[in-house]
Structure formats: structure tokens, C-alpha cells
Amino acid sequence: MRILPALTRLAALGAAAILGAATLTACGDGSSSGAADNPYHLLQPGVLRAGTLTDAPPNVYLKDGEFTGFDNDLLRAVAGKIGLKVEFVGTDFSALLSQVNNRKFDVGSSSITITEARKKTVDFGNGYDFGYFGLDVPAGSPIRSFDELPGKRVVVVQGTVQDDYATSKGLDPVRVPDYNGAINQLKAGTADAWIAPAEIGDKSAADSGGKIVVAAKLLSPAPTAYAVAKGNGALREALNKGLDEVIADGTWSRLQAQYYPGRPIPEDFKPGSGTVAVPAAPSASASAAS
């Protein structure tokens, strides 16, 4: 009476073993097929997971719940050229590069200046933007130049190239985790100056109701670029290719005019590979209408 159930169980076990072997074989074969489906070694095939900031307009910020800004809008366009959608996640700049290298994010998008020190943590694509250091001070401050900062209480966002600059000048800066922290210190009068990315400093001063002014600017020594995990050359090269394509079709120029109206482009700055002609930027009114 028990022979048939036993045989049934044996048959089921045998079938399971066959299915298990087939699954293992499929997985073995799928390593090549998986690579074909995910050639850029992304956390999720077809989706570029980007770490960014929420509080740094006009570069990277949240507007009506959506990640936007020059860097992020450009990244969407670049990703579209290589068939990817972008999923943005907010983080602190001080943690961003290590999170990219640890594969929490596929890419870092936050006006990241290329430096030799950062190259030890992540790889960079081609430069897509240039930038200036801005010197923001409380209204009424006598400070008018970077040379006047020794002995002053200077605030910087931790881990930024502005932090590096301040340290290299022996300023012993006060480090905060985000741009809002720096802005609040200036408004409260607990800092004498903030060394900021100039575009962010300009916007912060304009939005401060007269409490913050821009005292000076200084051209940053290196371009900004998207960061990827070390060794992920496939993604880096794909982003470089997409960047050249959005430069060639005028998207880069349009976004420059939209987010940085009237900002002159240094003559020696060439975005992307430097081999693509850069179309003239549209007028400010045409860019705003788009």
C-alpha cells in the first residue's frame, strides 16, 4: 500500500534534482547572457542608480519632489543616449564617493571636481563642466577676497574641493555635511565666510533676502565629471560616449544657457572628449521657453 507513494516521492525528488541541475546549468550559461543584458554592470539592468544631493541649486537639487539641476538633467540626457533610465537617490557629499566605489550607487552626480586624491577612490568620466569657487560672506562684511581669509572662521562642506582648497591654504575650516548647514552659519553670523561652488553661492546669496553677498570668485583648477566605481570601464566609456552625443546635438549648450544664463565659458574649456564641436547656446529666452 505504501510502495506507490514512496515511488512518487522518489520520482519527485528525481525531478527536483534534474530541475536543480538544469537551473545550475542555466545559471552557468547565464553569466554570459547576464553580461549581455547588463553590459555596464549596473545594480539593476537598464537603470542607472545615481547618488546626488538635494540642496545645491542650480547644479543638483529637488524641485517639486523631482531631482533636477544642470548635472542631473545632463545625466538623464546622457543616459538616454545609451538606453538607460536614471534613478536618483539623495545623499551627503561627504559619503558620495565611497558609496559609489562600494556599489551603493552606479554613478555620482554632484558637480564633482576631478582631483588626484579622489581618483584613488573612484574613476571619472570626461569633464562636462567647469566651475568657480565663490566666496560668500554675511551682508556688511569687510571681506572682499580669498586672501583675507586667514584668521577668519571659514565654513566649507566636508569632502568638497572647497574643503581641499581651504585646507591647502592653512585655514582650518569649519566643516558641515551639506550646503544648508553652510548657509545657515552665514545667516546666523557664526561664520565669517563660506567657500562655495560659485553657482551655488550665487543662488544662495540671491535667495537669502540680502543676508548673504558674494565677495569674490576664483576659477576652479579642474573640470567636474561623473564618478563611477573603480574598474567599471564599460560604464565610464558609455557615459563618455553619451556625453559627446548630447554635446553634439545641442543639449549641453541648452542646459548651460538654462541653468547658468550669461555665464561665460572659458576659452580653453572643452566638454567631453574635446573632439566634438559645441553648438552655440540658445538665447536665454529660448532656453527658458524650452
Side-chain angles (χ1 to χ4, degrees):
M1 295 293 295
R2 296 182 180 177
I3 294 175
L4 287 176
L7 288 173
T8 301
R9 286 196 297 273
L10 286 172
L13 289 171
I18 293 170
L19 286 173
T23 302
L24 289 172
T25 302
C27 288
D29 294 338
S31 60
S32 59
S33 122
D37 293 339
N38 191 14
Y40 309 130
H41 313 292
L42 304 177
L43 294 167
Q44 179 182 343
V47 178
L48 189 66
R49 185 176 174 87
T52 189
L53 276 62
T54 62
D55 63 344
N59 300 75
V60 287
Y61 61 103
L62 275 175
K63 181 179 180 181
D64 300 326
E66 181 179 359
F67 287 95
T68 187
F70 174 80
D71 301 63
N72 288 342
D73 284 1
L74 183 68
L75 183 59
R76 282 193 183 93
V78 169
K81 294 293 187 182
I82 57 176
L84 301 177
K85 294 182 179 180
V86 185
E87 175 187 305
F88 290 103
V89 180
T91 188
D92 289 333
F93 188 87
S94 59
L96 178 56
L97 296 187
S98 61
Q99 289 171 333
V100 169
N101 196 46
N102 293 335
R103 303 296 180 109
K104 179 175 181 179
F105 303 124
D106 299 307
V107 63
S109 171
S110 184
S111 193
I112 307 168
T113 302
I114 301 171
T115 68
E116 292 303 315
R118 290 172 178 173
K119 287 180 182 179
K120 296 176 182 178
T121 303
V122 294
D123 288 338
F124 288 99
N126 290 331
Y128 62 79
D129 201 13
F130 60 95
Y132 291 83
F133 294 163
L135 183 60
D136 280 31
V137 298
S141 169
I143 296 173
R144 287 294 175 267
S145 75
F146 288 86
D147 294 337
E148 299 174 47
L149 295 181
K152 306 297 184 184
R153 185 176 171 86
V154 179
V155 64
V156 295
V157 174
Q158 182 178 358
T160 61
V161 71
Q162 292 80 31
D163 185 352
D164 295 343
Y165 172 83
T167 303
S168 73
K169 297 297 183 180
L171 299 180
D172 190 24
V174 176
R175 296 176 175 86
V176 294
D178 55 39
Y179 293 106
N180 282 330
I183 294 166
N184 289 337
Q185 289 223 15
L186 285 187
K187 287 181 176 179
T190 54
D192 297 313
W194 169 33
I195 303 176
E199 295 81 12
I200 297 170
D202 287 349
K203 184 72 164 56
S204 300
D207 293 345
S208 71
K211 295 180 179 179
I212 299 172
V213 297
V214 179
K217 293 182 182 180
L218 180 68
L219 184 64
S220 179
T224 61
Y226 298 116
V228 301
K230 292 192 74 65
N232 194 353
L235 178 57
R236 180 174 56 82
E237 291 305 318
L239 292 175
N240 286 342
K241 177 178 178 292
L243 176 59
D244 274 356
E245 291 182 16
V246 299
I247 293 168
D249 72 11
T251 300
W252 184 88
S253 296
R254 177 180 60 79
L255 291 174
Q256 283 280 323
Q258 175 183 340
Y259 285 103
Y260 312 128
R263 182 182 73 161
I265 298 174
E267 290 185 4
D268 59 350
F269 176 74
K270 305 295 182 186
S273 66
T275 62
V276 180
V278 180
S283 66
S285 58
S287 178
S290 64

